[in-house]
Amino acid sequence: MTDASSPTLPDSVTVIRHPLVQHKLTLMRQKQTSTGEFRRLAREISLLMAYELTRDLPLEDVAIETPLEPMQAPRLAGKKLCIVSILRAGDGIMEGMLDLVPSARVGHIGLYRDPETLVPVEYYLKLPDDVSERLVIVVDPMLATGHSAAAALSRLKQAGAGQLRFACLLAAPQGVSVLTEAHPDVPVFTCSIDRELDSHAYIRPGLGDAGDRLYGTK
């Protein structure tokens, strides 16, 4: 596996190595982990990821009154976040982030891969009207080939999003390369960069199909 200390890792990529994140990811990888447990772990780990993703949000001082006296205290400045889920598995990551930032706006983008051209095709897009004024965090559990994620980011830029970050549980080296080459301006956050993609575009060692494991489907 590659980690954040690798000399080949682009500067725009951050591997979140917090012990709780790594522990929960190990539990998610195990094939015996049940659907309910997998879903709970995804929610918990995404909340911890959101902490890392938002550590540099701007603050402003405002006047408040505590039970004892008035004071100037910091709060988030400007528009709140927008979290955009790449359907369907992205919802499993988005929910945990909303636990931490419940006032965030939500968007969805749906993509499928054309079986002949293998090009991502958009079938659904719903975003807040003021997406251009918000920091947009795009979430998908897996960054495998990177083509769908790159297409989603391109579409969001076309829709006016100017501040973008991408978050996933696992990434393959190929996916990181594709995404960072297509969008060098977009910071990428992941919990692990695994060894490789196999011939079926599954991340190895990975954790299986995240959508199937989240929703109990095959």
Side-chain angles (χ1 to χ4, degrees):
M1 292 185 191
T2 306
D3 63 24
S5 65
S6 170
T8 62
L9 198 63
D11 292 339
S12 61
V13 178
T14 298
V15 179
I16 301 172
R17 303 191 61 80
H18 190 286
L20 287 175
V21 168
Q22 294 300 315
H23 171 75
K24 292 176 187 296
L25 180 59
T26 295
L27 296 177
M28 293 182 74
R29 289 184 187 273
Q30 295 178 149
K31 64 180 182 180
Q32 67 267 32
T33 299
S34 67
T35 297
E37 182 72 359
F38 189 93
R39 191 179 300 137
R40 181 182 66 80
L41 288 164
R43 194 173 189 126
E44 291 175 353
I45 201 171
S46 59
L47 187 152
L48 294 169
M49 292 178 70
Y51 179 85
E52 295 292 334
L53 282 153
T54 58
R55 63 167 54 249
D56 61 348
L57 293 181
L59 295 171
E60 61 182 359
D61 285 340
V62 296
I64 67 168
E65 189 167 340
T66 77
L68 300 177
E69 62 180 83
M71 70 170 291
Q72 293 287 317
R75 71 176 181 188
L76 291 177
K79 295 279 188 179
K80 302 301 188 292
L81 304 175
C82 175
I83 303 173
V84 175
S85 166
I86 298 179
L87 297 172
R88 65 180 167 146
D91 282 3
I93 304 300
M94 179 181 66
E95 291 174 359
M97 293 190 176
L98 288 173
D99 287 342
L100 186 66
V101 195
S103 61
R105 299 297 187 266
V106 171
H108 288 90
I109 183 167
L111 300 165
Y112 71 90
R113 184 175 298 176
D114 185 284
E116 294 185 1
T117 66
L118 302 181
V119 174
V121 178
E122 176 188 321
Y123 67 87
Y124 184 80
L125 180 69
K126 188 72 172 179
L127 301 171
D129 292 336
D130 58 355
V131 68
S132 63
E133 302 174 38
R134 298 176 182 273
L135 170 62
V136 178
I137 298 175
V138 182
V139 295
D140 196 0
M142 318 297 278
L143 180 60
T145 66
H147 296 303
S148 293
L153 291 173
S154 293
R155 185 65 181 89
L156 289 167
K157 287 180 177 180
Q158 292 173 9
Q163 303 176 71
L164 287 158
R165 296 178 185 180
F166 180 83
C168 62
L169 295 177
L170 296 181
Q174 297 94 321
V176 171
S177 178
V178 167
L179 189 60
T180 55
E181 183 175 342
H183 299 283
D185 57 321
V186 177
V188 176
F189 294 80
T190 185
C191 302
S192 177
I193 300 177
D194 280 16
R195 186 180 67 247
E196 63 185 359
L197 288 181
D198 65 18
S199 59
H200 301 288
Y202 277 94
I203 298 175
R204 297 280 185 158
L207 50 70
D209 186 293
D212 286 345
R213 297 198 68 188
L214 278 165
Y215 304 118
T217 54
K218 294 291 187 181

PDB file of all heavy atoms in Angstrom, residues 13-14 16 21 25 45 49 53 93 97 137-144 149 165-172 176 179 188-193 203:
ATOM      1  N   VAL A  13      -3.147  15.208  -2.617  1.00  0.00           N
ATOM      2  CA  VAL A  13      -3.758  14.009  -2.030  1.00  0.00           C
ATOM      3  C   VAL A  13      -3.355  13.879  -0.571  1.00  0.00           C
ATOM      4  O   VAL A  13      -2.176  13.944  -0.229  1.00  0.00           O
ATOM      5  CB  VAL A  13      -3.342  12.747  -2.802  1.00  0.00           C
ATOM      6  CG1 VAL A  13      -3.950  11.494  -2.154  1.00  0.00           C
ATOM      7  CG2 VAL A  13      -3.784  12.841  -4.258  1.00  0.00           C
ATOM      8  N   THR A  14      -4.359  13.685   0.289  1.00  0.00           N
ATOM      9  CA  THR A  14      -4.129  13.479   1.719  1.00  0.00           C
ATOM     10  C   THR A  14      -4.658  12.113   2.119  1.00  0.00           C
ATOM     11  O   THR A  14      -5.813  11.783   1.851  1.00  0.00           O
ATOM     12  CB  THR A  14      -4.852  14.546   2.554  1.00  0.00           C
ATOM     13  OG1 THR A  14      -4.324  15.842   2.216  1.00  0.00           O
ATOM     14  CG2 THR A  14      -4.658  14.303   4.042  1.00  0.00           C
ATOM     15  N   ILE A  16      -5.742  10.060   5.246  1.00  0.00           N
ATOM     16  CA  ILE A  16      -6.136  10.305   6.633  1.00  0.00           C
ATOM     17  C   ILE A  16      -5.716   9.105   7.477  1.00  0.00           C
ATOM     18  O   ILE A  16      -6.285   8.024   7.378  1.00  0.00           O
ATOM     19  CB  ILE A  16      -7.649  10.543   6.736  1.00  0.00           C
ATOM     20  CG1 ILE A  16      -8.043  11.744   5.872  1.00  0.00           C
ATOM     21  CG2 ILE A  16      -8.065  10.774   8.187  1.00  0.00           C
ATOM     22  CD1 ILE A  16      -9.541  11.948   5.750  1.00  0.00           C
ATOM     23  N   VAL A  21      -9.777   6.161  12.326  1.00  0.00           N
ATOM     24  CA  VAL A  21     -10.130   5.970  10.922  1.00  0.00           C
ATOM     25  C   VAL A  21      -9.573   4.649  10.418  1.00  0.00           C
ATOM     26  O   VAL A  21     -10.272   3.847   9.779  1.00  0.00           O
ATOM     27  CB  VAL A  21      -9.611   7.148  10.070  1.00  0.00           C
ATOM     28  CG1 VAL A  21      -9.719   6.833   8.585  1.00  0.00           C
ATOM     29  CG2 VAL A  21     -10.366   8.423  10.399  1.00  0.00           C
ATOM     30  N   LEU A  25     -11.710   1.335   9.267  1.00  0.00           N
ATOM     31  CA  LEU A  25     -11.542   0.857   7.898  1.00  0.00           C
ATOM     32  C   LEU A  25     -11.189  -0.625   7.878  1.00  0.00           C
ATOM     33  O   LEU A  25     -11.688  -1.377   7.034  1.00  0.00           O
ATOM     34  CB  LEU A  25     -10.460   1.675   7.195  1.00  0.00           C
ATOM     35  CG  LEU A  25     -10.171   1.290   5.745  1.00  0.00           C
ATOM     36  CD1 LEU A  25     -11.417   1.410   4.881  1.00  0.00           C
ATOM     37  CD2 LEU A  25      -9.035   2.143   5.189  1.00  0.00           C
ATOM     38  N   ILE A  45     -16.900   6.545  10.134  1.00  0.00           N
ATOM     39  CA  ILE A  45     -15.627   6.915   9.522  1.00  0.00           C
ATOM     40  C   ILE A  45     -15.786   8.182   8.684  1.00  0.00           C
ATOM     41  O   ILE A  45     -14.884   9.022   8.611  1.00  0.00           O
ATOM     42  CB  ILE A  45     -15.061   5.736   8.696  1.00  0.00           C
ATOM     43  CG1 ILE A  45     -13.552   5.901   8.495  1.00  0.00           C
ATOM     44  CG2 ILE A  45     -15.734   5.609   7.349  1.00  0.00           C
ATOM     45  CD1 ILE A  45     -12.903   4.663   7.879  1.00  0.00           C
ATOM     46  N   MET A  49     -13.771  11.678   8.782  1.00  0.00           N
ATOM     47  CA  MET A  49     -13.192  12.267   7.574  1.00  0.00           C
ATOM     48  C   MET A  49     -13.622  13.721   7.420  1.00  0.00           C
ATOM     49  O   MET A  49     -12.821  14.577   7.035  1.00  0.00           O
ATOM     50  CB  MET A  49     -13.611  11.462   6.349  1.00  0.00           C
ATOM     51  CG  MET A  49     -13.024  10.064   6.269  1.00  0.00           C
ATOM     52  SD  MET A  49     -13.620   9.174   4.810  1.00  0.00           S
ATOM     53  CE  MET A  49     -12.772  10.081   3.497  1.00  0.00           C
ATOM     54  N   LEU A  53     -11.575  17.148   6.582  1.00  0.00           N
ATOM     55  CA  LEU A  53     -11.896  17.918   5.384  1.00  0.00           C
ATOM     56  C   LEU A  53     -12.239  19.375   5.691  1.00  0.00           C
ATOM     57  O   LEU A  53     -12.112  20.239   4.820  1.00  0.00           O
ATOM     58  CB  LEU A  53     -13.081  17.274   4.661  1.00  0.00           C
ATOM     59  CG  LEU A  53     -12.769  16.036   3.820  1.00  0.00           C
ATOM     60  CD1 LEU A  53     -13.987  15.138   3.706  1.00  0.00           C
ATOM     61  CD2 LEU A  53     -12.316  16.457   2.432  1.00  0.00           C
ATOM     62  N   ILE A  93     -21.527   7.638   2.624  1.00  0.00           N
ATOM     63  CA  ILE A  93     -20.502   8.522   3.170  1.00  0.00           C
ATOM     64  C   ILE A  93     -21.109   9.867   3.556  1.00  0.00           C
ATOM     65  O   ILE A  93     -20.764  10.466   4.572  1.00  0.00           O
ATOM     66  CB  ILE A  93     -19.374   8.734   2.145  1.00  0.00           C
ATOM     67  CG1 ILE A  93     -18.782   7.385   1.712  1.00  0.00           C
ATOM     68  CG2 ILE A  93     -18.282   9.635   2.707  1.00  0.00           C
ATOM     69  CD1 ILE A  93     -18.199   6.594   2.846  1.00  0.00           C
ATOM     70  N   MET A  97     -21.172  12.619   7.305  1.00  0.00           N
ATOM     71  CA  MET A  97     -20.721  14.006   7.245  1.00  0.00           C
ATOM     72  C   MET A  97     -21.839  14.962   7.666  1.00  0.00           C
ATOM     73  O   MET A  97     -21.588  15.981   8.308  1.00  0.00           O
ATOM     74  CB  MET A  97     -20.218  14.335   5.848  1.00  0.00           C
ATOM     75  CG  MET A  97     -18.953  13.577   5.481  1.00  0.00           C
ATOM     76  SD  MET A  97     -18.203  14.155   3.960  1.00  0.00           S
ATOM     77  CE  MET A  97     -16.718  13.127   3.937  1.00  0.00           C
ATOM     78  N   ILE A 137     -18.045  19.362  -1.213  1.00  0.00           N
ATOM     79  CA  ILE A 137     -17.333  18.117  -0.932  1.00  0.00           C
ATOM     80  C   ILE A 137     -18.036  16.997  -1.677  1.00  0.00           C
ATOM     81  O   ILE A 137     -19.207  16.699  -1.422  1.00  0.00           O
ATOM     82  CB  ILE A 137     -17.301  17.825   0.575  1.00  0.00           C
ATOM     83  CG1 ILE A 137     -16.547  18.935   1.315  1.00  0.00           C
ATOM     84  CG2 ILE A 137     -16.642  16.470   0.842  1.00  0.00           C
ATOM     85  CD1 ILE A 137     -16.562  18.787   2.824  1.00  0.00           C
ATOM     86  N   VAL A 138     -17.335  16.388  -2.620  1.00  0.00           N
ATOM     87  CA  VAL A 138     -17.883  15.302  -3.428  1.00  0.00           C
ATOM     88  C   VAL A 138     -17.454  13.983  -2.803  1.00  0.00           C
ATOM     89  O   VAL A 138     -16.270  13.777  -2.512  1.00  0.00           O
ATOM     90  CB  VAL A 138     -17.376  15.395  -4.882  1.00  0.00           C
ATOM     91  CG1 VAL A 138     -17.995  14.297  -5.739  1.00  0.00           C
ATOM     92  CG2 VAL A 138     -17.693  16.772  -5.469  1.00  0.00           C
ATOM     93  N   VAL A 139     -18.424  13.086  -2.582  1.00  0.00           N
ATOM     94  CA  VAL A 139     -18.126  11.846  -1.849  1.00  0.00           C
ATOM     95  C   VAL A 139     -18.515  10.616  -2.653  1.00  0.00           C
ATOM     96  O   VAL A 139     -19.560  10.564  -3.305  1.00  0.00           O
ATOM     97  CB  VAL A 139     -18.828  11.831  -0.476  1.00  0.00           C
ATOM     98  CG1 VAL A 139     -18.288  12.936   0.416  1.00  0.00           C
ATOM     99  CG2 VAL A 139     -20.338  11.974  -0.609  1.00  0.00           C
ATOM    100  N   ASP A 140     -17.639   9.624  -2.599  1.00  0.00           N
ATOM    101  CA  ASP A 140     -17.862   8.311  -3.194  1.00  0.00           C
ATOM    102  C   ASP A 140     -16.941   7.354  -2.457  1.00  0.00           C
ATOM    103  O   ASP A 140     -15.762   7.683  -2.270  1.00  0.00           O
ATOM    104  CB  ASP A 140     -17.533   8.327  -4.690  1.00  0.00           C
ATOM    105  CG  ASP A 140     -18.097   7.131  -5.442  1.00  0.00           C
ATOM    106  OD1 ASP A 140     -18.758   6.281  -4.810  1.00  0.00           O
ATOM    107  OD2 ASP A 140     -17.872   7.036  -6.658  1.00  0.00           O
ATOM    108  N   PRO A 141     -17.421   6.202  -1.986  1.00  0.00           N
ATOM    109  CA  PRO A 141     -16.547   5.342  -1.185  1.00  0.00           C
ATOM    110  C   PRO A 141     -15.273   4.898  -1.890  1.00  0.00           C
ATOM    111  O   PRO A 141     -14.231   4.763  -1.258  1.00  0.00           O
ATOM    112  CB  PRO A 141     -17.442   4.130  -0.862  1.00  0.00           C
ATOM    113  CG  PRO A 141     -18.822   4.653  -0.933  1.00  0.00           C
ATOM    114  CD  PRO A 141     -18.804   5.685  -2.025  1.00  0.00           C
ATOM    115  N   MET A 142     -15.336   4.663  -3.210  1.00  0.00           N
ATOM    116  CA  MET A 142     -14.203   4.082  -3.915  1.00  0.00           C
ATOM    117  C   MET A 142     -13.738   4.980  -5.050  1.00  0.00           C
ATOM    118  O   MET A 142     -14.555   5.490  -5.822  1.00  0.00           O
ATOM    119  CB  MET A 142     -14.585   2.716  -4.501  1.00  0.00           C
ATOM    120  CG  MET A 142     -15.410   1.839  -3.575  1.00  0.00           C
ATOM    121  SD  MET A 142     -14.544   1.377  -2.065  1.00  0.00           S
ATOM    122  CE  MET A 142     -13.578   0.007  -2.670  1.00  0.00           C
ATOM    123  N   LEU A 143     -12.437   5.171  -5.154  1.00  0.00           N
ATOM    124  CA  LEU A 143     -11.819   5.829  -6.303  1.00  0.00           C
ATOM    125  C   LEU A 143     -11.030   4.744  -7.027  1.00  0.00           C
ATOM    126  O   LEU A 143      -9.874   4.482  -6.695  1.00  0.00           O
ATOM    127  CB  LEU A 143     -10.917   6.975  -5.856  1.00  0.00           C
ATOM    128  CG  LEU A 143     -10.196   7.750  -6.957  1.00  0.00           C
ATOM    129  CD1 LEU A 143     -11.181   8.395  -7.918  1.00  0.00           C
ATOM    130  CD2 LEU A 143      -9.268   8.796  -6.361  1.00  0.00           C
ATOM    131  N   ALA A 144     -11.677   4.109  -7.990  1.00  0.00           N
ATOM    132  CA  ALA A 144     -11.078   2.958  -8.671  1.00  0.00           C
ATOM    133  C   ALA A 144     -10.359   3.412  -9.948  1.00  0.00           C
ATOM    134  O   ALA A 144      -9.191   3.778  -9.910  1.00  0.00           O
ATOM    135  CB  ALA A 144     -12.144   1.912  -8.971  1.00  0.00           C
ATOM    136  N   ALA A 149     -15.351   9.755 -11.085  1.00  0.00           N
ATOM    137  CA  ALA A 149     -15.087  10.879 -10.195  1.00  0.00           C
ATOM    138  C   ALA A 149     -14.638  12.101 -10.987  1.00  0.00           C
ATOM    139  O   ALA A 149     -15.084  13.232 -10.724  1.00  0.00           O
ATOM    140  CB  ALA A 149     -14.025  10.494  -9.167  1.00  0.00           C
ATOM    141  N   ARG A 165     -13.712  19.639  -3.202  1.00  0.00           N
ATOM    142  CA  ARG A 165     -12.858  18.630  -2.579  1.00  0.00           C
ATOM    143  C   ARG A 165     -13.497  17.271  -2.828  1.00  0.00           C
ATOM    144  O   ARG A 165     -14.714  17.169  -2.912  1.00  0.00           O
ATOM    145  CB  ARG A 165     -12.699  18.886  -1.072  1.00  0.00           C
ATOM    146  CG  ARG A 165     -11.991  20.193  -0.783  1.00  0.00           C
ATOM    147  CD  ARG A 165     -11.856  20.506   0.695  1.00  0.00           C
ATOM    148  NE  ARG A 165     -11.272  21.838   0.843  1.00  0.00           N
ATOM    149  CZ  ARG A 165     -11.012  22.418   1.999  1.00  0.00           C
ATOM    150  NH1 ARG A 165     -11.280  21.791   3.137  1.00  0.00           N
ATOM    151  NH2 ARG A 165     -10.472  23.636   2.042  1.00  0.00           N
ATOM    152  N   PHE A 166     -12.653  16.247  -2.935  1.00  0.00           N
ATOM    153  CA  PHE A 166     -13.157  14.895  -3.180  1.00  0.00           C
ATOM    154  C   PHE A 166     -12.731  13.995  -2.028  1.00  0.00           C
ATOM    155  O   PHE A 166     -11.574  14.029  -1.597  1.00  0.00           O
ATOM    156  CB  PHE A 166     -12.608  14.338  -4.494  1.00  0.00           C
ATOM    157  CG  PHE A 166     -13.092  12.945  -4.803  1.00  0.00           C
ATOM    158  CD1 PHE A 166     -14.325  12.747  -5.408  1.00  0.00           C
ATOM    159  CD2 PHE A 166     -12.324  11.845  -4.474  1.00  0.00           C
ATOM    160  CE1 PHE A 166     -14.783  11.474  -5.678  1.00  0.00           C
ATOM    161  CE2 PHE A 166     -12.772  10.555  -4.736  1.00  0.00           C
ATOM    162  CZ  PHE A 166     -14.008  10.371  -5.346  1.00  0.00           C
ATOM    163  N   ALA A 167     -13.671  13.178  -1.538  1.00  0.00           N
ATOM    164  CA  ALA A 167     -13.397  12.288  -0.411  1.00  0.00           C
ATOM    165  C   ALA A 167     -13.849  10.873  -0.728  1.00  0.00           C
ATOM    166  O   ALA A 167     -14.947  10.666  -1.251  1.00  0.00           O
ATOM    167  CB  ALA A 167     -14.103  12.781   0.850  1.00  0.00           C
ATOM    168  N   CYS A 168     -13.003   9.896  -0.394  1.00  0.00           N
ATOM    169  CA  CYS A 168     -13.341   8.483  -0.581  1.00  0.00           C
ATOM    170  C   CYS A 168     -12.706   7.666   0.521  1.00  0.00           C
ATOM    171  O   CYS A 168     -11.766   8.114   1.181  1.00  0.00           O
ATOM    172  CB  CYS A 168     -12.866   7.995  -1.950  1.00  0.00           C
ATOM    173  SG  CYS A 168     -11.071   8.088  -2.191  1.00  0.00           S
ATOM    174  N   LEU A 169     -13.237   6.471   0.724  1.00  0.00           N
ATOM    175  CA  LEU A 169     -12.653   5.564   1.704  1.00  0.00           C
ATOM    176  C   LEU A 169     -11.357   4.958   1.187  1.00  0.00           C
ATOM    177  O   LEU A 169     -10.350   4.919   1.887  1.00  0.00           O
ATOM    178  CB  LEU A 169     -13.634   4.439   2.044  1.00  0.00           C
ATOM    179  CG  LEU A 169     -14.928   4.816   2.740  1.00  0.00           C
ATOM    180  CD1 LEU A 169     -15.794   3.576   2.923  1.00  0.00           C
ATOM    181  CD2 LEU A 169     -14.640   5.472   4.087  1.00  0.00           C
ATOM    182  N   LEU A 170     -11.414   4.446  -0.034  1.00  0.00           N
ATOM    183  CA  LEU A 170     -10.276   3.757  -0.634  1.00  0.00           C
ATOM    184  C   LEU A 170      -9.996   4.309  -2.017  1.00  0.00           C
ATOM    185  O   LEU A 170     -10.918   4.696  -2.741  1.00  0.00           O
ATOM    186  CB  LEU A 170     -10.553   2.251  -0.785  1.00  0.00           C
ATOM    187  CG  LEU A 170     -10.767   1.408   0.460  1.00  0.00           C
ATOM    188  CD1 LEU A 170     -10.985  -0.041   0.053  1.00  0.00           C
ATOM    189  CD2 LEU A 170      -9.594   1.520   1.409  1.00  0.00           C
ATOM    190  N   ALA A 171      -8.727   4.290  -2.407  1.00  0.00           N
ATOM    191  CA  ALA A 171      -8.344   4.690  -3.746  1.00  0.00           C
ATOM    192  C   ALA A 171      -7.347   3.692  -4.309  1.00  0.00           C
ATOM    193  O   ALA A 171      -6.571   3.080  -3.565  1.00  0.00           O
ATOM    194  CB  ALA A 171      -7.732   6.087  -3.734  1.00  0.00           C
ATOM    195  N   ALA A 172      -7.368   3.530  -5.615  1.00  0.00           N
ATOM    196  CA  ALA A 172      -6.348   2.779  -6.328  1.00  0.00           C
ATOM    197  C   ALA A 172      -5.354   3.770  -6.927  1.00  0.00           C
ATOM    198  O   ALA A 172      -5.727   4.900  -7.263  1.00  0.00           O
ATOM    199  CB  ALA A 172      -6.973   1.936  -7.431  1.00  0.00           C
ATOM    200  N   VAL A 176      -6.168   7.635  -8.499  1.00  0.00           N
ATOM    201  CA  VAL A 176      -5.519   8.854  -8.029  1.00  0.00           C
ATOM    202  C   VAL A 176      -4.852   9.581  -9.196  1.00  0.00           C
ATOM    203  O   VAL A 176      -4.962  10.800  -9.346  1.00  0.00           O
ATOM    204  CB  VAL A 176      -4.484   8.524  -6.933  1.00  0.00           C
ATOM    205  CG1 VAL A 176      -3.649   9.762  -6.597  1.00  0.00           C
ATOM    206  CG2 VAL A 176      -5.184   8.008  -5.683  1.00  0.00           C
ATOM    207  N   LEU A 179      -7.573  11.146 -11.569  1.00  0.00           N
ATOM    208  CA  LEU A 179      -8.296  12.271 -10.974  1.00  0.00           C
ATOM    209  C   LEU A 179      -7.403  13.497 -10.806  1.00  0.00           C
ATOM    210  O   LEU A 179      -7.809  14.619 -11.110  1.00  0.00           O
ATOM    211  CB  LEU A 179      -8.895  11.858  -9.629  1.00  0.00           C
ATOM    212  CG  LEU A 179      -9.851  12.869  -8.989  1.00  0.00           C
ATOM    213  CD1 LEU A 179     -11.035  13.134  -9.907  1.00  0.00           C
ATOM    214  CD2 LEU A 179     -10.332  12.392  -7.633  1.00  0.00           C
ATOM    215  N   VAL A 188      -7.794  15.866  -2.736  1.00  0.00           N
ATOM    216  CA  VAL A 188      -8.364  14.523  -2.603  1.00  0.00           C
ATOM    217  C   VAL A 188      -8.026  13.992  -1.214  1.00  0.00           C
ATOM    218  O   VAL A 188      -6.863  14.027  -0.794  1.00  0.00           O
ATOM    219  CB  VAL A 188      -7.801  13.577  -3.683  1.00  0.00           C
ATOM    220  CG1 VAL A 188      -8.327  12.154  -3.488  1.00  0.00           C
ATOM    221  CG2 VAL A 188      -8.144  14.085  -5.079  1.00  0.00           C
ATOM    222  N   PHE A 189      -9.042  13.482  -0.523  1.00  0.00           N
ATOM    223  CA  PHE A 189      -8.858  12.901   0.803  1.00  0.00           C
ATOM    224  C   PHE A 189      -9.297  11.441   0.752  1.00  0.00           C
ATOM    225  O   PHE A 189     -10.393  11.135   0.273  1.00  0.00           O
ATOM    226  CB  PHE A 189      -9.688  13.649   1.850  1.00  0.00           C
ATOM    227  CG  PHE A 189      -9.250  15.066   2.077  1.00  0.00           C
ATOM    228  CD1 PHE A 189      -9.620  16.075   1.197  1.00  0.00           C
ATOM    229  CD2 PHE A 189      -8.463  15.397   3.165  1.00  0.00           C
ATOM    230  CE1 PHE A 189      -9.221  17.387   1.400  1.00  0.00           C
ATOM    231  CE2 PHE A 189      -8.051  16.707   3.370  1.00  0.00           C
ATOM    232  CZ  PHE A 189      -8.425  17.703   2.485  1.00  0.00           C
ATOM    233  N   THR A 190      -8.455  10.551   1.250  1.00  0.00           N
ATOM    234  CA  THR A 190      -8.792   9.135   1.285  1.00  0.00           C
ATOM    235  C   THR A 190      -8.221   8.518   2.556  1.00  0.00           C
ATOM    236  O   THR A 190      -7.327   9.096   3.183  1.00  0.00           O
ATOM    237  CB  THR A 190      -8.249   8.402   0.038  1.00  0.00           C
ATOM    238  OG1 THR A 190      -8.693   7.045   0.052  1.00  0.00           O
ATOM    239  CG2 THR A 190      -6.719   8.434  -0.017  1.00  0.00           C
ATOM    240  N   CYS A 191      -8.736   7.360   2.913  1.00  0.00           N
ATOM    241  CA  CYS A 191      -8.240   6.669   4.103  1.00  0.00           C
ATOM    242  C   CYS A 191      -7.144   5.667   3.764  1.00  0.00           C
ATOM    243  O   CYS A 191      -6.424   5.217   4.653  1.00  0.00           O
ATOM    244  CB  CYS A 191      -9.380   5.947   4.818  1.00  0.00           C
ATOM    245  SG  CYS A 191     -10.714   7.052   5.312  1.00  0.00           S
ATOM    246  N   SER A 192      -7.035   5.295   2.486  1.00  0.00           N
ATOM    247  CA  SER A 192      -5.996   4.358   2.070  1.00  0.00           C
ATOM    248  C   SER A 192      -5.851   4.383   0.561  1.00  0.00           C
ATOM    249  O   SER A 192      -6.845   4.519  -0.157  1.00  0.00           O
ATOM    250  CB  SER A 192      -6.342   2.928   2.520  1.00  0.00           C
ATOM    251  OG  SER A 192      -5.364   2.003   2.057  1.00  0.00           O
ATOM    252  N   ILE A 193      -4.622   4.255   0.099  1.00  0.00           N
ATOM    253  CA  ILE A 193      -4.373   3.999  -1.315  1.00  0.00           C
ATOM    254  C   ILE A 193      -3.899   2.558  -1.410  1.00  0.00           C
ATOM    255  O   ILE A 193      -2.792   2.226  -0.982  1.00  0.00           O
ATOM    256  CB  ILE A 193      -3.335   4.978  -1.897  1.00  0.00           C
ATOM    257  CG1 ILE A 193      -3.841   6.411  -1.745  1.00  0.00           C
ATOM    258  CG2 ILE A 193      -3.080   4.654  -3.365  1.00  0.00           C
ATOM    259  CD1 ILE A 193      -2.860   7.462  -2.223  1.00  0.00           C
ATOM    260  N   ILE A 203     -10.785  -2.619  -6.568  1.00  0.00           N
ATOM    261  CA  ILE A 203      -9.601  -2.246  -5.808  1.00  0.00           C
ATOM    262  C   ILE A 203      -9.139  -3.440  -4.983  1.00  0.00           C
ATOM    263  O   ILE A 203      -9.934  -4.074  -4.286  1.00  0.00           O
ATOM    264  CB  ILE A 203      -9.897  -1.038  -4.899  1.00  0.00           C
ATOM    265  CG1 ILE A 203     -10.291   0.182  -5.736  1.00  0.00           C
ATOM    266  CG2 ILE A 203      -8.696  -0.714  -4.022  1.00  0.00           C
ATOM    267  CD1 ILE A 203     -10.719   1.385  -4.916  1.00  0.00           C
TER     268      ILE A 203
END
